[in-house]
Each structure stands twice: as C-alpha cells, then as structure tokens.
C-alpha cells in the first residue's frame, strides 16, 4: 500500500468520425492528473479541483472521479476512505473530460490499494461513473483514456478491445469557446439511418480499425468520415462546415467532430502541414466570430498511468 | 505471349455478415477454371462451359467471363481475339459465381497477352462485367476472388484493399438445393436502418477488419453478425433460423448468409468442431425438407492465379 499515488488519465476523441459510440482515441498532452491518498475515515472526499474554472462538483458522489473510485473500493470490499485532489487540463468540451476523471478515479483507487485488479478490469467502474453523470453507458472515451491508443467497444456487450495506435499520427484539436452539452448533441440524432449512410459509415469504421492494426496513417485519416452524427450535430457548432473544409483543403487527411463537440479534430501526416491546418482552423473559426484554441498533438499510447507527484 | 493459359478464380462469401457490399472472403477449393487461347479472328468466343448444368450463357457478351475479358482487351487496345473454355465448380448460389467468372476472364486475358497490368488493376474490368449482369456495381465478390483472403472495398470510390487472411479459419459452407436470385434478395432490404442496428453492424464490421489484420480468429468469427440484410433475407431461405441456431449451438463462432444466399456459411476454429457443425447444418436443413450440400473449407489465400492446364 502506498500512502499516496498520483495518476494521469488522458483526454480522448469519442466516435472517431464514423464509429459512433464504438471507436475512441486517446490524446497526448491533455487530461486529468489525480492524487489519491489514504484517509482514516471511510468514504471518499474531493479536497480540491483545479483547472476546471470551478465548474465541476466537488461532492464525490456527483463527480465521476469520486463515483468511479468508490465503485472500485466497493468491489474490493475496502472500508477505508480516500481523498482526491484533481487537476484538469482539458481545453474544451467533446474531449472525454468526464471519462478521464472516471478513469483517473478508478485507476488511482486500484493503485492506492496495491493494484489488485488488472487495468482492463477497471472498465466497468469507470463506466458506472460515466453512466451516472451522462444517463447512458458509453465506452468510447473510457476505453482510450484507460487503455491508450485507439479502442473499440461493443456497446451491446461492453467488451473493450485495444486496437493499437499510430505513433506518427498528428492530431489537430480545435476547441471553440462555447460548450455543446452531450444531451443536446444526442437529441439531434436521427432515429434511423438511410441505407446509403449506413453503408458509408460501416465502410469507414471498418477501415479505421484495420488501418490502426496496420499502422496505416493515410487509410486511417481518410476514413475519418461520418454521415450520421456529424451532419446532425454540425449546426450546433458555429462555423463547423467552413472550418472542416479549410482543414481538408489545407491537406488534412480527415476532420470531424470530437465526441459530441464542440471540439473538432483533424488528422495529418506531416508536422508543417499539421501546423498549417491548426492555424487555418483557428482563423476560419474567427471568420465566424468564434474564438478557438488549436493545438497539434499525437495519440496517447499508454492511457492511465502512475506519474510523479505534482 | 503464351499460346494458351489456364487460370483459377475462387468462389467467395460476399457481405461477410455485417459488411454489406463492403467485405468479402475468398474460399478454398471451389471456383472457376478458365482456359484462354489466342484466336486468329477478333472477338471473344466461349467454346464450352462445364459444371453449370447448362444454365450459363455461352454468348461472350452475356457471360461475365467474356465481358470482363473483352474489357481488358479493349483497355489494352488488343485487336486479336480470344477463346474461352470455362469450368465452373461452385456448389450453390450466393458464392460469387458471376464474380469468379468475371475475375477469371479478366485475369486470363491479361495473362494471355503478357500480363501488362498488375493484378489489382484488373478490378474495374471484372467490376464492369458484374455490373452488366447484376445491374449494379458490387466489389465484395470481385475483390476476394481476385486478391484472395478477405477484402474491403469502398462502394463510394471503388477502392479495394486486401485486409489479409487467417490461415487457420475453418469455413463451413451449406448450400441448399434452391436458388435465391440477387435481385429478389435486394428487393427485401430496408430503405433505412434503425439506429441500434446501424451501430450494431458498424461495430461488428469494424471488428472483422481488425481481427483479420491481427489474425484473431475468435474475434473474427464472433463478429459475423448482421442485423440488417440477414433478418430481411432469412425468410427467403427455408430453415435458415434453425440451421443458424444449430450451428452456433454446436460451437460455430459465427454464422450468416453468404452474399444474397441461398448458401449459408459458418466459422469455426477446430476441425472436429467444424465437421460437427457441417453435419448438424445438413441435418437441420433436412428437418425443413431442404436438401443441402455441406463442406468444410478454408480461406483461399491467393485469389486468381495461373494453374496447370486441366
């Protein structure tokens, strides 16, 4: 047993274009850093949250970090308590923020008590937390945040598979200065999908998973195409169509909405190109009066891990 | 230039469960053997077709072998003629018979004139022939018959990618003694797909292509699940639901309709198990008054190739 442990869980791109609720990708350089420590009294308390502009609940039963950590402790029949200090470094919505907290909470709880569970076994506890705050069980952010790289999950069985990663993939993230709520983004989705769009998305999702296995960046990037959620959600993101067109015109392999938005992501295979794409996405958002932060990153390869104390 | 060349193009499973129009798998031990020879007069003639019970047109402009061969010769601006002798060894409908002929015709024409085109460049010529006889352009049989293993194609761009193969996969083929016409099987398909089924099929198709890349037979076989075409077409195949259930109960990893049917295929990872599945599928069809041939085979790994003259 450690006295305290600090862990990191990365942000992630849900859906990954055509893979609605199924595919997800962990991102380097952004995520949750969580320090967990033993507490003499039972129960979990969140002592402090930073980096969230005061927006997240510090009540452990309402925060995914606390909920997931408690679920792990309950499963392990640990009666002891745990304190949490959480630092969030995720630039916008649509980047799996609640999942990163859930994963960090579950992973830290397991680590603090000697890591009796293998990493993959933590999925259900993080999932419970995601479900509690979002109202439905999605694993396309929990999967990559825990396992790293690109993950696939079967929403009908909750099986999660690590598909692999492409080290050389450059991911451009553009986060506008407004939020899109997941429930709003869900409410605009169609109840059924025309046959042609059904075939289209299935075709692209099938290519993405193969391309990840083969580390084939061009096929991966070009398969980031979605004719189901993206057209329905694009109107929620001011400037989206123009920003996407600009990214593709500038040479991005693919571009789509990250999760429920408002963040947009693009994929590139060259550093100079990626910087250009980043700049042009920022400018095009500004043409629509939208201030957006952009940055170039890569896939996070490891997922949740122990890190040195801050 | 050879005086004559004999080629083989394998039968194939279109759709491959969830991958409607997109995924296909070549099968060992069944297909078209075609001997092409130079002919002094221009034009293509089909001298003989065997193994088809006299059902196929011997007019070269109506047979996919002749159409595809002519398309290759036209592309190469070859004015010479070519004669064809075709032997079919494909046990039922739904096994890519017209595609095997198209591929054999295109591949043989290219070989007979010194193979100026690489194999993958023959796709469009075989596709033209498929389109002419079926009324629409599908590549999920042409792809595997030409390239071997499992192929993916993008129906919106006609790109074809060889995904790979799993040498150890055992494929059980059950061919009832009745035909299902592709146009009938297409007419029962829905115009749109409920969201849940959209997600389901996308999930499985995404797993199939990854599993092929990773040679992961269990994940491959278990992803052979289709909630779009299969439920619509099952009523066209007497006994289907019972035969499928029997195959899965006996231990098959997956089971679905091959292409438009009437052939059914199942996947297994053990030889004894596969023989049991084969027997039980045959028996269960008989319970419904349907005589079916069954056999256990594997993936064809090579696709179209030159073979010794018969």
């Amino acid at each position: 047993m450690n006295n305290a442990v600090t862990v990191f869980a990365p942000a992630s791109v849900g859906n990954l274009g055509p893979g609605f609720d199924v595919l997800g990708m962990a991102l380097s350089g952004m995520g949750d850093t969580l320090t967990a420590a033993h507490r003499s009294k039972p129960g979990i308390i969140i002592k402090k949250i930073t980096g969230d502009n005061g927006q997240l609940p510090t009540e452990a039963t309402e925060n995914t970090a606390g909920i997931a950590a408690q679920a792990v402790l309950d499963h392990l029949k640990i009666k002891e308590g745990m304190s949490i200090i959480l630092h969030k470094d995720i630039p916008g919505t649509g980047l799996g923020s609640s999942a990163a907290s859930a994963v960090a909470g579950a992973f830290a709880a397991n680590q603090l008590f000697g890591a009796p569970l293998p990493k993959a076994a933590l999925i259900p506890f993080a999932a419970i937390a995601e479900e509690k705050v979002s109202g439905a069980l999605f694993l396309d952010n929990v999967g990559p945040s825990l396992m790293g790289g690109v993950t696939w999950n079967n929403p009908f069985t909750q099986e999660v598979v690590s598909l692999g990663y492409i080290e050389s993939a450059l991911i451009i993230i553009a986060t506008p200065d407004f939020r899109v709520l997941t429930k709003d983004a869900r409410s605009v989705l169609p109840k059924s999908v025309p046959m042609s769009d059904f075939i289209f998305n299935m075709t692209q999702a099938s290519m993405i998973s193969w391309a990840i296995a083969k580390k084939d960046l061009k096929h991966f990037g070009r398969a980031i195409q979605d004719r189901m959620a993206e057209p329905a959600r694009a109107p929620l993101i001011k400037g989206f169509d123009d920003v996407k067109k600009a990214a593709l015109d500038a040479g991005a392999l693919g571009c789509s909405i990250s999760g429920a938005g408002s963040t947009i992501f693009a994929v590139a295979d060259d550093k100079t190109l990626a910087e250009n794409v980043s700049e042009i996405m920022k400018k095009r958002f500004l043409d629509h009066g939208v201030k957006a932060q952009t940055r170039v990153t890569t896939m996070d390869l490891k997922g949740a891990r122990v890190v040195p104390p801050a």
Side-chain angles (χ1 to χ4, degrees), chain A:
Chain A
M1 288 211 317
N2 304 305
N3 285 328
V5 64
T6 300
V7 307
F8 176 79
S12 57
V13 173
N15 297 345
L16 202 42
F20 183 72
D21 279 0
V22 172
L23 299 175
M25 170 174 70
L27 294 174
S28 278
M30 54 188 91
D32 281 22
T33 303
L34 187 153
T35 299
H38 291 286
R39 184 170 173 256
S40 54
K41 293 182 191 168
I44 290 179
I45 57 161
I46 299 179
K47 292 168 81 170
K48 190 166 68 171
I49 304 179
T50 54
D52 70 328
N53 293 318
Q55 294 191 347
L56 292 176
T58 52
E59 185 59 50
T61 55
E62 287 169 23
N63 184 299
T64 53
I67 300 166
Q70 187 65 60
V72 170
L73 298 191
D74 288 348
H75 175 80
L76 296 174
K77 302 190 194 312
I78 290 170
K79 303 293 181 200
E80 269 183 75
M82 182 177 131
S83 69
I84 287 174
I85 295 172
L86 179 62
H87 178 65
K88 297 202 64 78
D89 179 19
I90 296 183
T93 58
L95 287 167
S97 178
S98 62
S101 290
V103 166
F107 188 75
N110 188 49
Q111 286 294 324
L112 191 65
F113 291 93
L117 296 172
K119 205 176 191 186
L122 299 173
I123 291 273
F125 308 110
I128 285 168
E130 269 277 78
E131 189 176 15
K132 198 154 178 183
V133 299
S134 71
L137 204 158
F138 313 119
L139 296 174
D140 54 333
N141 291 114
V142 162
S145 187
L146 184 68
M147 309 302 289
V150 175
T151 65
W152 168 100
N153 79 83
N154 184 332
F156 301 85
T157 64
Q158 278 78 56
E159 183 190 9
V160 173
V161 174
S162 286
L163 299 183
Y165 46 75
I166 304 179
E167 296 88 334
S168 61
L170 297 170
I171 317 295
I172 303 101
I173 299 293
T175 57
D177 64 350
F178 54 82
R179 300 171 66 86
V180 170
L181 295 177
T182 301
K183 67 180 169 60
D184 294 339
R186 295 230 156 221
S187 72
V188 298
L189 296 177
K191 290 205 165 44
S192 68
V193 182
M195 178 63 80
S196 171
D197 296 343
F198 162 85
I199 295 173
F200 185 89
N201 270 40
M202 179 269 287
T203 301
Q204 311 308 329
S206 180
M207 177 45 68
I208 285 179
S209 59
W210 182 83
I212 290 295
K214 292 290 184 180
K215 297 186 185 292
D216 180 332
L217 178 51
K218 285 218 159 57
H219 271 108
F220 168 67
R222 289 175 183 152
I224 305 287
Q225 297 188 64
D226 171 21
R227 292 192 181 166
M228 193 285 284
E230 184 186 297
R233 291 172 168 181
L236 302 178
I237 303 169
K238 194 177 174 190
F240 173 78
D241 290 339
D242 275 356
V243 174
K244 176 182 172 178
K245 185 176 183 305
L248 295 177
D249 287 349
L253 295 166
C255 178
S256 191
I257 301 168
S258 180
S262 61
T263 299
I264 301 179
F265 75 105
V267 177
D269 58 359
D270 174 90
K271 192 150 171 50
T272 307
L273 172 67
E275 295 292 349
N276 288 343
V277 169
S278 173
E279 276 308 298
I280 208 158
M281 289 174 84
K282 187 174 194 155
K283 279 184 193 156
R284 200 61 86 242
F285 260 129
L286 257 187
D287 292 345
H288 288 266
V290 174
K291 279 189 192 165
Q293 285 186 52
T294 60
R295 65 168 94 176
V296 178
T297 185
T298 55
M299 292 186 193
D300 177 284
L301 310 185
K302 290 185 179 173
R305 66 250 191 193
V306 174
V307 293

